[in-house]
């Protein structure tokens, strides 16, 4: 009876995971709030009745995640709770829960999870392309998204084109891993994966997110390197790896050509004009240096979870816009959570890299898929050096899933 209940709850959780990129809690506030509440309840119930129990042992991969959450709580206690920080903690909780759930999944459940995520991403990509083709005619414009519409930058169901790009690049690498696996195993899904990857690539380009596209290119080079390192010696994967070398170089060259066509001359001049205060790169430099100023005054405790905007107004230079985010995940965490938060997050990232490489070396049957998942996680971290999707559950939710898939519990 318990097993049937567990199976039923898992199927409901898959539906919620499928819906996650469609629901921005900042756009659909009430629906998003209820969605997260139900997800939290289902997650706790699933972990309670699961055959596998979550552990927080210090030798376990889960421990740095627990320490990171602990640093959030400490920062809130020290700096004091307010309505905004409490809401941010509530919105962040599903990420932690899905991580721990993923660590206790069985092989078949992991396959279902990955398939669900990829199908959802394919639909998002189709919607983004339709948004562009329809010239945003069905989108209710407001002051925030008017700029995106004017510049014809798609954002689909996300808050901004940069958020969509951060999500899409992870899904692209997941899809590349699935594609190579499907090719090797001669699965019928191969053609559908090719079509989905094409749609995602187009959607990424239509975001016109320079940070997202460059993060993808850099991580794609890493993907080719890992494919050569771990797939080429394997006689079964050798043909695929050799093809990847040829197509990879051509693909990157084509990508640069398309990017140069998509970005107008005016925008390219703006990006390289460091004297222009409206240049997004200039603004990011302001964000980074102002964050460092705040860190200098609050190195140990931080200023409190989701409270950067409160002090940024006092520290920022005159030309800088007011912001809630440092546009660099490591700076943001150091500013708000202090040294404990930063060290625990670095521990999480390092453990992910170490566990993923070990898993890729040991796993000969799913090696291509794991390389894809590893690159998906790396692309997220790389993109968060210049943008910040870590604090947005629509995107970061899937990064925490990738972490869980490489947990030692699996």
């Amino acid at each position: 009876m318990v097993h049937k209940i567990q199976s039923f709850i898992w199927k409901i959780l898959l539906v919620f995971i499928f819906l996650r990129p469609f629901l921005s809690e900042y756009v659909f506030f009430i629906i998003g709030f209820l969605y997260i509440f139900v997800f939290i309840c289902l997650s706790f119930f699933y972990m309670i009745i699961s055959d596998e129990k979550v552990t927080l042992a210090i030798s376990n991969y889960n421990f740095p995640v627990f320490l990171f959450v602990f640093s959030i709580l400490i920062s809130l206690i020290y700096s004091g709770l307010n309505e905004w920080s409490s809401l941010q903690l509530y919105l962040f909780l599903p990420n932690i829960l899905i991580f721990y759930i993923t660590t206790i999944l069985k092989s078949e459940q992991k396959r279902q999870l990955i398939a669900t995520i990829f199908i959802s991403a394919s639909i998002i990509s189709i919607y983004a392309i339709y948004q562009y083709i329809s010239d945003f005619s069905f989108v209710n414009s407001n002051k925030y998204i008017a700029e995106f519409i004017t510049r014809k930058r798609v954002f689909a169901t996300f808050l901004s084109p940069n958020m969509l790009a951060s999500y899409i690049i992870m899904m692209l690498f997941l899809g590349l891993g699935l594609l190579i696996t499907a090719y090797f195993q001669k699965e019928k899904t191969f053609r559908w994966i090719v079509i989905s990857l094409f749609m995602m690539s187009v959607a990424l380009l239509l975001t016109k997110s320079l940070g997202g596209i460059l993060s993808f290119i850099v991580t794609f080079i890493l993907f080719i390197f890992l494919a050569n390192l771990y797939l080429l010696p394997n006689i079964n994967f050798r043909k695929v790896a050799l093809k990847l070398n040829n197509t990879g170089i051509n693909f990157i060259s084509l990508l640069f050509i398309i990017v140069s066509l998509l970005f107008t001359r005016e925008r390219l001049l703006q990006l390289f004009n460091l004297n222009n205060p409206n240049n997004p790169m200039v603004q990011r430099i302001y964000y980074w240096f102002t964050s460092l100023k705040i860190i200098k005054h609050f190195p140990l405790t931080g200023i409190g979870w989701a409270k950067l905007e409160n002090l940024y107004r006092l520290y920022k230079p005159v030309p800088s816009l007011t912001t809630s985010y440092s546009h660099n995940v490591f700076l943001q965490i150091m500013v708000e959570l202090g040294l404990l938060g930063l060290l625990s997050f670095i521990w999480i990232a390092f453990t992910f890299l170490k566990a993923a490489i070990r898993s890729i070396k040991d796993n000969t049957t799913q090696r291509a898929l794991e390389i894809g998942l590893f690159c998906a996680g790396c692309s997220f971290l790389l993109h968060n050096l210049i943008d910040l999707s870590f604090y947005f559950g629509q995107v970061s939710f899937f990064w925490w899933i990738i972490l869980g898939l490489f947990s030692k519990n699996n």
Side-chain angles (χ1 to χ4, degrees):
M1 183 64 182
V2 175
H3 180 72
K4 288 183 178 179
I5 295 174
Q6 183 183 348
S7 178
F8 177 71
I9 297 298
W10 169 243
K11 289 176 182 176
I12 297 177
L13 281 172
L14 282 177
V15 174
F16 273 71
I17 292 167
F18 175 86
L19 292 173
R20 188 67 190 98
F22 292 91
L23 292 173
S24 170
E25 53 272 32
Y26 297 100
V27 177
F28 306 103
F29 185 78
I30 296 176
I31 296 175
F33 189 91
L34 291 174
Y35 166 90
I36 289 175
F37 176 77
V38 176
F39 182 85
I40 290 172
C41 293
L42 287 171
S43 299
F44 276 119
F45 185 58
Y46 182 82
M47 286 190 288
I48 290 170
I49 66 173
S50 175
D51 299 332
E52 300 286 338
K53 300 302 178 184
V54 169
T55 175
L56 302 176
I58 194 166
S59 60
N60 194 276
Y61 181 25
N62 303 351
F63 185 73
V65 176
F66 168 78
L67 195 62
F68 181 72
V69 176
F70 181 71
S71 70
I72 295 175
L73 297 176
I74 291 297
S75 77
L76 289 174
I77 293 170
Y78 177 81
S79 63
L81 278 170
N82 60 29
E83 185 178 338
W84 178 249
S85 59
S86 301
L87 175 62
Q88 292 303 306
L89 180 61
Y90 173 76
L91 298 178
F92 187 73
L93 189 55
N95 298 348
I96 303 301
L97 292 174
I98 195 61
F99 165 79
Y100 283 118
I101 287 173
T102 309
T103 65
I104 59 176
L105 295 181
K106 296 178 174 60
S107 297
E108 179 59 29
Q109 290 174 310
K110 287 191 285 184
R111 283 193 288 271
Q112 293 170 352
L113 175 65
I114 290 170
T116 299
I117 292 171
F118 191 69
I119 292 170
S120 181
S122 301
I123 297 172
I124 290 286
S125 301
I126 294 170
Y127 177 67
I129 295 171
Y130 176 70
Q131 196 176 62
Y132 184 85
I133 293 172
S134 67
D135 202 24
F136 304 89
S137 58
F138 60 93
V139 177
N140 294 323
S141 181
N142 57 47
K143 184 178 179 181
Y144 178 72
I145 65 173
E147 181 191 357
F148 306 145
I149 295 174
T150 302
R151 291 159 63 180
K152 296 200 72 173
R153 299 182 63 194
V154 300
F155 48 89
T157 58
F158 291 77
L159 273 180
S160 73
N162 291 337
M163 293 297 108
L164 175 60
S166 189
Y167 168 75
I168 289 291
I169 57 178
M170 283 195 290
M171 298 302 111
L172 276 168
F173 287 110
L174 169 61
L176 285 171
L178 288 171
L179 184 70
I180 296 175
T181 304
Y183 179 86
F184 169 64
Q185 297 178 352
K186 294 181 171 56
E187 295 178 359
K188 294 180 180 179
T189 56
F190 178 81
R191 291 181 181 178
W192 294 108
I193 296 172
V194 171
I195 295 171
S196 293
L197 286 174
F198 175 76
M199 295 292 186
M200 291 179 194
S201 300
V202 173
L204 175 61
L205 290 171
L206 293 179
T207 64
K208 300 181 183 178
S209 170
L210 188 60
I213 294 170
L214 289 177
S215 297
F216 174 78
I217 291 173
V218 172
T219 314
F220 187 70
I221 295 170
L222 173 65
F223 182 86
I224 294 175
F225 171 77
L226 292 174
N228 278 284
L229 188 62
Y230 293 110
L231 299 184
L232 197 58
N234 187 324
I235 191 169
N236 295 321
F237 284 112
R238 187 171 296 171
K239 186 178 178 182
V240 178
L242 290 171
K243 279 188 175 182
L244 192 62
N245 282 337
N246 297 326
T247 57
I249 296 171
N250 295 331
F251 179 71
I252 291 175
S253 302
L254 179 63
L255 204 58
F256 274 114
I257 294 171
I258 295 174
V259 168
S260 64
L261 294 174
L262 279 174
F263 286 86
T264 63
R265 181 175 177 272
E266 290 75 15
R267 191 180 178 206
L268 287 173
L269 287 174
Q270 184 191 49
L271 287 172
F272 290 102
N273 182 8
L274 298 181
N275 295 319
N276 182 0
N278 294 321
N279 184 339
M281 287 308 302
V282 171
Q283 286 297 323
R284 277 165 173 73
I285 293 171
Y286 289 143
Y287 300 155
W288 297 336
F289 277 95
T290 304
S291 296
L292 289 171
K293 284 183 184 178
I294 299 173
I295 289 170
K296 184 179 178 181
H297 289 87
F298 302 90
L300 297 178
T301 60
I303 61 175
W305 181 252
K307 291 185 176 180
L308 175 60
E309 186 176 0
N310 297 346
L311 281 183
Y312 190 86
R313 298 173 186 273
L314 303 177
Y315 283 82
K316 78 179 186 72
V318 174
S320 176
L321 301 173
T322 301
T323 183
S324 299
Y325 305 104
S326 300
H327 287 266
N328 179 292
V329 66
F330 295 97
L331 285 177
Q332 181 87 17
I333 289 171
M334 183 65 180
V335 166
E336 295 186 343
L337 304 184
L339 190 60
L340 177 61
L342 179 64
L343 291 178
S344 58
F345 183 74
I346 291 174
W347 188 0
I348 291 171
F350 176 76
T351 308
F352 158 66
L353 298 174
K354 183 179 177 182
I357 292 296
R358 184 190 300 117
S359 184
I360 290 169
K361 287 180 179 178
D362 296 341
N363 192 341
T364 56
T365 57
Q366 295 290 320
R367 185 169 282 172
L369 177 58
E370 294 206 337
I371 289 174
L373 285 167
F374 172 65
C375 288
C378 289
S379 68
F380 178 84
L381 287 173
L382 185 62
H383 189 227
N384 272 267
L385 293 177
I386 53 176
D387 273 313
L388 201 65
S389 54
F390 178 80
Y391 279 61
F392 295 84
Q394 260 187 302
V395 184
S396 59
F397 182 84
F398 299 97
W399 184 71
W400 287 101
I401 287 177
I402 293 170
L403 294 190
L405 288 171
F406 285 110
S407 170
K408 290 181 182 178
N409 284 352
N410 290 315

